[in-house]
Structure formats: structure tokens, C-alpha cells
Amino acid sequence: MTMAAIHDQDELALAPQAPQRVRIEAAPQPVDLVAAERAAHLFLEALGIEPDAPDTPDLARTPRRFAEAYAELLSPQPFDFTTFANVEGYDELVLIRDIPVRSMCEHHLLPFTGTAHVAYLPRDSVVGLSKIPRMVDHYSRRPQTQERLTVQIADALAARLQPRGIGVVIEASHTCMTLRGARAVSAMTTTSALRGTLREDASSRAEFFALTADRAR
């Protein structure tokens, strides 16, 4: 092999590989805002609230706002999940902490909010960092339980990224528990899902939980 051919092969090996993009989107669910507004109007009336009462003019558009708000909260947004070749061979933990979580309790249709901490141990690919918060948001925009949401995020990242390990922790406050029922105002719920090395290896698991807990210091 000539020196020129060797040089060409070296340049090819060092050339950056094109990122891989996969479109993430939920199954299409048509939203009928007119019907939702009509239902919201009936809902308020059934609770003894008259949106059209002349002495409460600010309520006139409440059914429409109510319908639009829930349509926004319950509509997953599509995005491109972008990965890159792990050319540097990075093999340590990648952690994104304090990702905002805004979702809807499927039992009462009341919001729960908090933060997610997501980590992975790369194998052949690394992911664009903004895609992890987008994945959290994608699965949050639907009627949920916190337990299911945690598992869905972990499994989706494991399937798309094929890492050596995945860890997800969500800490959230549920208004269905803080504003009604038990009215446990300061109660927080923590859930976790571990996959691969972060589940099987005790030291990796301990490192992940130490890093997620460290944010409060």
C-alpha cells in the first residue's frame, strides 16, 4: 500500500461521521377544541359555575381557555432524536440533572411537577444533550403515573441509544395529593428506573445515586 493510500485511509478514519436522526412522535390524536370547549362549559355548569353569568364576565372565555390549556398539556411534541458516533471512546457517566417535569395525573387530571435526573453510560453513540429533556417532555405530555413515566423514559433512551447503562430519577409534587385529599402540602414522590450496568453494578449504581442526591447540597 502506498503512503498516499495510507494517508487517505487515516483521513477517512478521522473524518466526522454524520449524526443519526430518528423522528420521535406519538400516534396522531385529533384534537377537537370546539367539542372540548363545549364540554368544559357543561363541566363548569355541572359544578354550579355559570360561565355566561352577566355578573362574572371574566368567565365567558374560561371554557375555551380550559380546553386550550389541556390540549397543550396533553399533546406530545415530535422531535428528532440525534445521536453521534462516540469517536472519543468516552465511557464515563453522562448526567443531566434538574430537567423540568410537567405532567398530568391520570387519576384526577391534576398536574404533577418536579425534576428528572437522567444519566447514561455510552457505548458506541452519544446523544445530543438537548434530546434528553425533549424525551422527558415527550412522555410527560399525556395522562400519566410517575412510575410509568420514569420507566418509559428509561426504556425509550435504552432502545434508541443502546448504552451500557441508563438511570432515571424523578422527584415530583402531585397536586392531587397536595391540594385535595390528604393535602400533604410538602410531600414529594421519588421514583427511579435503572437499566444495564447502572442496575447490575453496585459501584456504578452508587455513583449515579450519589450524583443525583448531590444537587441538594
Side-chain angles (χ1 to χ4, degrees):
M1 183 179 294
T2 67
M3 291 300 295
I6 293 174
H7 180 69
D8 289 343
Q9 283 191 344
D10 289 343
E11 283 193 344
L12 184 62
L14 294 173
Q17 298 183 27
Q20 301 296 310
R21 290 184 174 86
V22 176
R23 190 68 170 170
I24 306 294
E25 53 189 343
Q29 298 287 343
V31 174
D32 188 340
L33 283 176
V34 174
E37 180 180 357
R38 186 165 55 248
H41 196 290
L42 292 172
F43 176 72
L44 290 172
E45 285 184 329
L47 293 176
I49 301 169
E50 178 49 66
D52 298 326
D55 59 336
T56 55
D58 290 341
L59 283 176
R61 283 189 50 79
T62 295
R64 180 69 178 188
R65 296 189 190 101
F66 182 77
E68 290 175 343
Y70 271 80
E72 178 182 344
L73 291 169
L74 298 175
S75 297
Q77 299 301 299
F79 68 99
D80 289 333
F81 188 79
T82 310
T83 58
F84 306 84
N86 185 14
V87 293
E88 290 82 12
Y90 186 83
D91 62 357
E92 298 294 334
L93 203 63
V94 178
L95 169 67
I96 300 180
R97 299 191 311 197
D98 301 317
I99 301 168
V101 171
R102 297 171 291 269
S103 193
M104 194 71 64
C105 165
E106 70 175 19
H107 302 134
H108 301 93
L109 287 185
L110 289 172
F112 65 90
T113 60
T115 54
H117 318 295
V118 180
Y120 73 99
L121 285 167
R123 194 189 303 273
D124 299 325
S125 300
V126 294
V127 64
L129 293 179
S130 69
K131 307 309 178 184
I132 292 180
R134 287 186 182 276
M135 188 71 83
V136 172
D137 181 71
H138 180 77
Y139 282 100
S140 297
R141 287 177 178 256
R142 60 197 71 188
Q144 276 287 20
T145 66
Q146 184 175 329
E147 297 89 341
R148 184 194 304 122
L149 175 61
T150 309
V151 168
Q152 286 179 337
I153 294 167
D155 288 345
L157 290 171
R160 300 296 183 185
L161 195 53
Q162 297 291 307
R164 291 182 292 121
I166 283 281
V168 178
V169 168
I170 295 179
E171 301 167 302
S173 173
H174 293 247
T175 56
C176 60
M177 181 169 60
T178 61
L179 298 181
R180 58 161 299 282
R183 297 188 182 181
V185 176
S186 60
M188 296 289 291
T189 301
T190 302
T191 50
S192 64
L194 305 177
R195 301 289 183 267
T197 301
L198 289 181
R199 183 183 183 92
E200 298 158 2
D201 180 71
S203 61
S204 297
R205 186 168 62 249
E207 179 187 9
F208 168 65
F209 283 123
L211 288 172
T212 57
D214 200 37
R215 59 169 182 72
R217 296 178 185 176

